[in-house]
Amino acid sequence: MAVSYEEFIALINKRVPPHLRGAAYAHALEIYGPKPQTERFASYKFNPTNYFKNFLGWSAWDGIDDEHPGQSEIINACSIAVEQQIEKRDFEKGILQEHELKYWKFGDTIKNWIRVESGNGIGKTKLLSGAVQWFFDCFDSVVYTFHTNATQDLVTTWAEIGQDREGKGLPGKLNKTQIYLSPNRFATTRTTSNAGGAGEEGIKGKHKPFLLFVVDEADGIEDWKFKAIETMASGGVVIVLMTANPRSRSSYFHKIKRFSYSKTFRISSLYHPNVVQGREVIAGAVMRDFIEKSIENGCEVLDAHDEDLFTFELPYAVKVADIIHPAGTVFKPDADFMTRILGIAPPTLADKTIIPTARYEAACERKPTGLESTDKLRIGVDAARWGSDVGTVYFHWQNKIWRECELYQQETYEYKDAIKAAVLKFVDKGVTSCHIRIDAGYGQGVIDMLRKDDELIKAFHDFQVLEVPFGGSANDNQYYNLVTEMYYQAAETIKTLCVVNPPESLEADLCEREYDWRNRSGVDQKILEPKKDFKKRKHRSPDDGDGFVLAAAPDFIFQQKLTVAPMGISKDSIWLT
């Protein structure tokens, strides 16, 4: 009786010496044809961890919880994103009905760009090599790998791939940086220069129903390479998997964190199984003694946590310089420790900026409690008419703050109409107090039109349109002008705020805008970096930051002399002049 393909492979594994198995596997494929090979991987399409174990001979390690993920959580996120995209595709083709959807719901954004911020020694290169092979073997796919240069790709990701596949009888012909099965099915590296601005075109390639892009040391990858990936990833079922020891907050890798279609994992070396258990569970990975030496060289013990300083504690005791620090000891990391161990990009210019990066990041991750008051809506409008500046409109409601819209070279009535339409949506949400704060520089026409809008005036018990002179006097004498006070007060408000879907430019506007000191009448006062200086240094205007602080700053900053409403306007309406 003829044996099945799987039985034949089992016989090869049992009777053929390892150094001859590659040829035997190839012969098996010639006998049985491609169909059994497809069937061989069918049950592993959405089970990558079992694929690693059964075909590559190693196991992905599991994380502790959502805050401390491991290799398994990352590769499973890739698998789920594939399932979601397949369902979305089949739904759009009419193959699936809405009630048949299991992994994707209509209107959901699929997070198929997977970012991994990691410390050292956690096995990120092993993870990438496994992802390449799983995707190549299990799907009719093309896979591209990226690194800072070709040599690094050869000695990292592709070195692991070579070790994993050798003598395993897996599909395709393997050379140093390529697995080749056919002109339309392969995995390969993509490294080229951008000489003459031609780099983006040079790395574009085949478009297949299934595409995987693997980016190692993504923090050092040039922007144009990511732009090429975005173009190539415009159709089909796509996964972009990126890993890095993050060093920069200006890299494209960092910017991707705020994209709606990205999902970020942060793997700290502190929570690798070897470190947590204090013994070698996974060969060759980070060990606790390395962590203890790193703490000695890069951390300071504090009495309590400080969110602004990225402090951390451990669930186990560590011995540092012959001192035993018990579980729960609070440590403050330096910049190098943050990158190499915690997987956190160090904050930028922390000693010269008003809003600490850690505080901003915490606000972006914070979730609403659902207990916040619904009656107050505060709106910040940084108006711009012409040139490269963009008008931004931020809403602050229920302890959440978000950019409602941005307006590029719009007329006054277009500002007014956009703001009015958005504001009126909150009448039925319980809002009774609506304050619209508009910078005085370019917003005068918008201010006048909104103040005279009878529908808005009648919609709220307390409706105010505030003209805010950024260069005006501050309420507190420690600040040189009003805009500086707004940024400092917003820095306090953000400690409890939930920043929703922030644009990538907002972090730099808030966390990289510097301050200096001025002496006025013998008093040293803080002064925010002027907009023109920020534009010269960052090559753009801080429009998002200004709109944000207008919405986030507390009411008392804007308290000025009240004026009585003129005839013809609701007596219940007052505003500030």
Side-chain angles (χ1 to χ4, degrees):
M1 184 175 66
V3 298
S4 69
Y5 175 79
E6 293 293 343
E7 291 171 330
F8 191 60
I9 292 296
L11 287 171
I12 291 173
N13 291 338
K14 183 176 181 180
R15 298 180 181 178
V16 178
H19 68 283
L20 297 177
R21 287 177 188 168
Y25 293 138
H27 183 57
L29 288 179
E30 292 175 3
I31 295 172
Y32 287 88
K35 184 177 179 181
Q37 187 72 2
T38 302
E39 294 174 349
R40 182 184 183 192
F41 296 105
S43 63
Y44 296 94
K45 283 188 173 183
F46 307 112
N47 196 343
T49 55
N50 273 0
Y51 167 86
F52 294 167
K53 182 179 179 180
N54 294 340
F55 290 101
L56 305 184
W58 58 272
S59 297
W61 61 274
D62 299 331
I64 298 174
D65 50 34
D66 290 343
E67 292 186 10
H68 305 100
Q71 291 174 325
S72 298
E73 287 74 18
I74 294 164
I75 194 64
N76 286 334
C78 295
S79 175
I80 290 169
V82 171
E83 289 187 287
Q84 290 174 325
Q85 291 176 83
I86 291 173
E87 279 203 346
K88 182 175 184 290
R89 178 198 64 190
D90 290 347
F91 173 76
E92 291 172 345
K93 288 182 176 181
I95 298 172
L96 288 177
Q97 301 301 310
E98 189 166 359
H99 70 274
E100 297 176 293
L101 300 174
K102 296 180 180 179
Y103 304 101
W104 174 78
K105 299 301 180 185
F106 183 75
D108 287 353
T109 298
I110 298 173
K111 297 183 180 296
N112 61 323
W113 284 56
I114 312 295
R115 296 177 67 258
V116 183
E117 303 171 333
S118 78
N120 287 336
I122 59 88
K124 61 180 183 295
T125 302
K126 195 70 173 177
L127 173 68
L128 295 183
S129 70
V132 168
Q133 297 175 88
W134 161 68
F135 205 85
F136 177 80
D137 288 343
C138 294
F139 300 97
D140 181 16
S141 61
V142 168
V143 180
Y144 295 105
T145 68
F146 295 82
H147 207 292
T148 49
N149 60 68
T151 300
Q152 287 299 312
D153 208 13
L154 173 62
V155 301
T156 54
T157 306
W158 282 94
E160 294 282 0
I161 291 172
Q163 293 174 15
D164 280 348
R165 295 183 83 80
E166 185 177 2
K168 302 285 180 61
L170 295 171
K173 180 180 180 181
L174 175 67
N175 63 29
K176 290 182 177 179
T177 56
Q178 186 182 65
I179 309 170
Y180 183 85
L181 192 62
S182 74
N184 294 311
R185 186 161 176 197
F186 56 85
T188 189
T189 187
R190 271 283 190 260
T191 52
T192 185
S193 71
N194 198 30
E200 185 173 334
E201 291 299 320
I203 64 174
K204 292 178 181 177
K206 293 279 186 181
H207 290 260
K208 288 289 289 180
F210 292 85
L211 282 167
L212 171 67
F213 301 90
V214 164
V215 189
D216 197 5
E217 299 299 342
D219 201 56
I221 297 295
E222 299 96 323
D223 291 9
W224 60 268
K225 290 183 180 178
F226 279 111
K227 294 292 186 182
I229 292 173
E230 288 175 347
T231 301
M232 294 170 69
S234 58
V237 175
V238 176
I239 297 294
V240 182
L241 177 60
M242 305 156 279
T243 66
N245 296 114
R247 293 176 173 81
S248 169
R249 292 180 176 270
S250 61
S251 68
Y252 205 84
F253 172 71
H254 186 77
K255 295 175 184 177
I256 292 170
K257 186 173 186 175
R258 302 302 175 202
F259 294 173
S260 63
Y261 50 81
S262 76
K263 182 177 180 65
T264 293
F265 291 90
R266 178 175 289 161
I267 301 185
S268 167
S269 304
L270 301 175
Y271 287 90
H272 188 277
N274 291 358
V275 179
V276 174
Q277 298 184 39
R279 60 188 180 88
E280 189 174 57
V281 180
I282 299 171
V286 62
M287 297 295 293
R288 187 179 291 185
D289 60 350
F290 173 76
I291 296 299
E292 291 174 338
K293 292 173 183 175
S294 298
I295 290 175
E296 179 178 355
N297 295 327
C299 293
E300 175 185 344
V301 175
L302 298 184
D303 292 331
H305 281 290
D306 186 332
E307 185 180 67
D308 295 346
L309 300 177
F310 293 95
T311 54
F312 67 93
E313 62 181 74
L314 299 172
Y316 48 84
V318 290
K319 183 179 180 181
V320 180
D322 295 326
I323 298 174
I324 302 296
H325 293 280
T329 300
V330 177
F331 296 100
K332 182 188 80 171
D334 66 11
D336 186 59
F337 190 95
M338 290 171 63
T339 291
R340 295 190 307 111
I341 306 300
L342 301 181
I344 299 174
T348 306
L349 302 170
D351 58 336
K352 299 178 66 179
T353 56
I354 295 170
I355 300 177
T357 302
R359 190 181 304 179
Y360 172 80
E361 285 197 348
C364 293
E365 300 297 329
R366 191 173 292 123
K367 304 300 181 185
T369 65
L371 302 175
E372 296 85 2
S373 172
T374 62
D375 62 329
K376 293 182 179 180
L377 173 65
R378 300 296 180 256
I379 300 169
V381 182
D382 181 56
R385 291 293 300 277
W386 311 115
S388 60
D389 292 5
V390 177
T392 58
V393 180
Y394 275 79
F395 276 35
H396 178 193
W397 179 68
Q398 272 201 316
N399 217 41
K400 301 188 293 287
I401 189 165
W402 66 93
R403 187 174 71 185
E404 176 67 23
C405 62
E406 57 179 343
L407 302 165
Y408 180 68
Q409 294 187 351
Q410 300 294 308
E411 295 290 349
T412 299
Y413 74 89
E414 292 173 307
Y415 268 90
K416 190 269 291 185
D417 289 346
I419 295 168
K420 177 180 176 180
V423 167
L424 288 176
K425 295 177 183 178
F426 286 82
V427 173
D428 295 332
K429 297 180 184 293
V431 172
T432 59
S433 173
C434 176
H435 294 187
I436 305 175
R437 303 147 175 183
I438 306 177
D439 75 287
Y442 297 96
Q444 188 59 59
V446 182
I447 294 168
D448 292 342
M449 294 181 75
L450 287 171
R451 282 178 173 174
K452 297 175 183 178
D453 191 291
D454 194 53
E455 185 177 4
L456 284 172
I457 292 169
K458 292 178 179 179
F460 304 97
H461 177 74
D462 170 28
F463 178 69
Q464 302 183 24
V465 181
L466 294 78
E467 181 178 356
V468 182
F470 279 20
S473 299
N475 296 275
D476 192 323
N477 197 41
Q478 67 176 305
Y479 306 117
Y480 187 81
N481 52 24
L482 184 58
V483 68
T484 305
E485 185 174 30
M486 282 196 297
Y487 268 79
Y488 269 95
Q489 289 299 330
E492 291 300 308
T493 304
I494 205 173
K495 289 180 178 179
T496 57
L497 273 181
C498 306
V499 180
V500 181
N501 296 327
E504 60 92 8
S505 57
L506 181 60
E507 180 178 352
D509 285 7
L510 296 179
C511 303
E512 297 183 29
R513 196 164 177 187
E514 303 175 12
Y515 72 89
D516 207 338
W517 294 89
R518 292 275 180 88
N519 187 281
R520 175 185 281 164
S521 303
V523 177
D524 287 331
Q525 297 176 317
K526 294 175 180 176
I527 180 170
L528 183 71
E529 178 182 23
K531 180 178 286 192
K532 63 179 179 60
D533 293 345
F534 183 88
K535 290 173 71 172
K536 183 177 181 180
R537 189 164 57 83
K538 305 297 291 186
H539 308 293
R540 61 176 180 76
S541 178
D543 303 310
D544 277 297
D546 288 349
F548 180 97
V549 300
L550 279 165
D555 286 354
F556 75 82
I557 287 184
F558 307 100
Q559 289 175 353
Q560 301 173 42
K561 184 178 179 180
L562 294 176
T563 185
V564 179
M567 187 177 298
I569 297 179
S570 170
K571 65 180 180 180
D572 293 328
S573 175
I574 57 174
W575 62 82
L576 306 183
T577 59

